[in-house]
Amino acid sequence: MGFFYEKVNNQLKPTIPSKSPTKESNEKQILKTNLQENIKTVKDTLGESTDIIIREIRIGKEGVLKAGIMYTDGLSDAPSIQHFIMESLMLEIKDTNIESELRPSPNLMNTLKDFAMTVGELKEFTHFDELFLSLLSGDVIILIEGYSEGLIIGNKRWAERGVTESTTQTVIRGPREAFSENIRINTALIRRKIKDPQLWMESRIIGKRTKTNIAVMYIKGIANDDIVEELRLRLDRIDIDGILESGNIEELIQDSQISTFPTVYNSERPDVVAAAILEGRVAILIDGTPFVLTVPALFVQFFQSSEDYSQRADLTSLVRILRFFSFGISLLAPALFIAATTFHHEMIPTALLINLAAQREGVPFPAFIEALIMEITFEILREAGLRMPRAIGSAMSIVGAFVIGTAAVEAGMISAAMVIVVSITAIASFVSPTYDMAMSVRILRFLFMGLAASFGLFGVTVGLIALILHLCSLRSFGIPYMYPIAPFNISGQKDTFIRVPIWKMFTRPHLISQKNIKRQQNPISAKPEPDK
């Protein structure tokens, strides 16, 4: 894909392939003074593409000067081109004395910009690479005979999805708006929530073929400068043909290439991204996708929902503890059941053990194979429900799970207890507010099932120790992944397993924002003294 890795100090580091000298020379090709030659170069480069509209006109008194107008059909606003560009050039300056191409005027471009073009965004250019990038992005290009400069007029307009409700991170109470595929709409949604002049935005173009617009947003004075600089370096060293989704950027800038746990957070909710920026994180917006990335990402962040800050603190704390408990169930429930029924019968109450033994009397498979069959079956049903049409997808997955589970028990292939354990595990995996963390648990669940089937609870214990060590070794842009649990931070516990009332959250996360830590004044100390 144009982006490679080499092993340096036992770590995978991206390397940038050398650019072709031929391509470099083409990118630096400048415009000519001959209009027909410039138009021919455009047509030849674009292969006479039928969606590229090229119109040659004459401007000035008696039409003494030739000009060319170019735009991409479907990406530009055609009515605006007719009303604000063509009318200005062909009618409003029709009686104006403009020198012919035989005597080019150095002030003509300034005259057109200052007096003729009734548009907002307008700039000059001299190279063909600027022409093609702007033309294929929806801008209008104006070339004039006798001049080696042209004008780029911002006139983008294409069919797009508006601001709708979030479908992946739904809430009962809170804002309902979600990002769209237009990067300008997404930056505006964040600007609408954070009206701070220190909210800075840096733009980049990544992808040699797609020329995808990337925006980096952070609050100067709150965000850690080291994190911002590290993000710049990781983005700048990307050399790839195309970026089509935020997942492409996430995979290229994440810290660990082999860990199942996500080290970059993504969200389609503007309020979530705005809250992350206020904490000192950096947002990465990619044109063409409704998901915005934020870094650094911590383990506890994937258990926090935007609704946590819209409800009362006591209710939120209860729900958050339930999320962590559900995480443990979805990760360990099948493994613990396999270990108990295979190796540790003494841990099961006698009455329950007798019932389990009676259920398994006609089952031909061991507990591990039972759990493996049920887990794989449920994963197939889950994926089928996601890919099928919405009208029947959810109903199909529910009916399929019920029918298959009941039929398997009646046929004597699976015990009823195993169906219950797998069902509870599946339901618990949906409690996670983020899809990425649920995917990590789905992968690790099979590993723990294998350890339980091989070594019992000893295998599960060793697996847990290895998992904790792995989590503690992870970093997200230099920040420990398990912060504020490890390293332990007392102030950070206010928004980890529980959430204290907002009026008690005086500071931002210390390791993320190391400059402007104070978030609010102490309401008790800030009270005015009573009148004497």
Side-chain angles (χ1 to χ4, degrees), residues 218-269:
Y218 60 93
I219 298 180
K220 182 66 174 177
I222 294 181
N224 191 326
D225 293 335
D226 295 335
I227 295 176
V228 176
E229 183 61 28
E230 177 65 21
L231 177 59
R232 291 195 191 107
L233 292 175
R234 296 189 187 187
L235 290 175
D236 290 341
R237 68 190 181 193
I238 295 176
D239 188 4
I240 193 171
D241 278 349
I243 297 294
L244 299 176
E245 217 279 329
S246 60
N248 303 146
I249 295 291
E250 177 180 352
E251 192 171 353
L252 293 172
I253 66 172
Q254 63 186 357
D255 287 66
S256 177
Q257 306 295 333
I258 58 175
S259 177
T260 62
F261 289 94
T263 55
V264 178
Y265 188 83
N266 69 81
S267 175
E268 64 171 347
R269 297 183 58 86

Side-chain angles (χ1 to χ4, degrees), residues 107-329:
N107 297 323
L108 177 60
M109 288 297 176
N110 292 331
T111 301
L112 291 179
K113 289 194 299 183
D114 296 341
F115 300 102
M117 295 288 97
T118 57
V119 294
E121 183 181 353
L122 192 149
K123 65 178 181 179
E124 292 185 32
F125 70 98
T126 56
H127 293 82
F128 273 102
D129 62 330
E130 299 176 83
L131 184 152
F132 290 121
L133 177 58
S134 300
L135 178 63
L136 298 176
S137 297
D139 295 328
V140 179
I141 306 298
I142 296 180
L143 301 176
I144 299 176
E145 181 71 38
Y147 293 85
S148 59
E149 302 90 17
L151 293 178
I152 297 175
I153 300 175
N155 194 57
K156 302 180 182 70
R157 184 176 181 181
W158 52 77
E160 61 188 10
R161 182 173 64 95
V163 179
T164 57
E165 185 174 351
S166 173
T167 57
T168 60
Q169 297 174 328
T170 57
V171 296
I172 297 176
R173 179 177 178 179
R176 301 301 176 90
E177 60 189 4
F179 290 119
S180 71
E181 286 74 14
N182 190 324
I183 191 173
R184 278 295 155 256
I185 292 179
N186 296 343
T187 56
L189 289 172
I190 297 177
R191 288 279 187 191
R192 181 184 172 189
K193 293 186 178 297
I194 305 177
K195 305 176 182 67
D196 188 348
Q198 295 301 311
L199 177 60
W200 288 10
M201 184 177 72
E202 302 175 4
S203 297
R204 278 171 174 73
I205 295 178
I206 300 180
K208 292 181 291 186
R209 305 292 181 183
T210 59
K211 308 290 186 184
T212 306
N213 291 322
I214 309 291
V216 175
M217 300 187 73
Y218 60 93
I219 298 180
K220 182 66 174 177
I222 294 181
N224 191 326
D225 293 335
D226 295 335
I227 295 176
V228 176
E229 183 61 28
E230 177 65 21
L231 177 59
R232 291 195 191 107
L233 292 175
R234 296 189 187 187
L235 290 175
D236 290 341
R237 68 190 181 193
I238 295 176
D239 188 4
I240 193 171
D241 278 349
I243 297 294
L244 299 176
E245 217 279 329
S246 60
N248 303 146
I249 295 291
E250 177 180 352
E251 192 171 353
L252 293 172
I253 66 172
Q254 63 186 357
D255 287 66
S256 177
Q257 306 295 333
I258 58 175
S259 177
T260 62
F261 289 94
T263 55
V264 178
Y265 188 83
N266 69 81
S267 175
E268 64 171 347
R269 297 183 58 86
D271 57 324
V272 172
V273 176
I277 292 176
L278 289 173
E279 286 186 341
R281 291 181 169 88
V282 186
I284 310 163
L285 297 89
I286 298 93
D287 193 23
T289 173
F291 290 91
V292 174
L293 309 178
T294 57
V295 294
L298 306 182
F299 178 77
V300 297
Q301 186 180 357
F302 293 91
F303 295 89
Q304 299 170 350
S305 171
S306 62
E307 196 173 11
D308 292 351
Y309 307 93
S310 302
Q311 303 281 2
R312 286 182 5 223
D314 51 352
L315 299 178
T316 296
S317 300
L318 178 63
V319 173
R320 190 171 292 180
I321 292 173
L322 183 63
R323 291 193 194 119
F324 282 98
F325 184 66
S326 299
F327 173 79
I329 291 177

Side-chain angles (χ1 to χ4, degrees), residues 450-462:
L451 290 173
S454 302
F455 308 103
L457 288 180
F458 299 102
V460 175
T461 303
V462 171

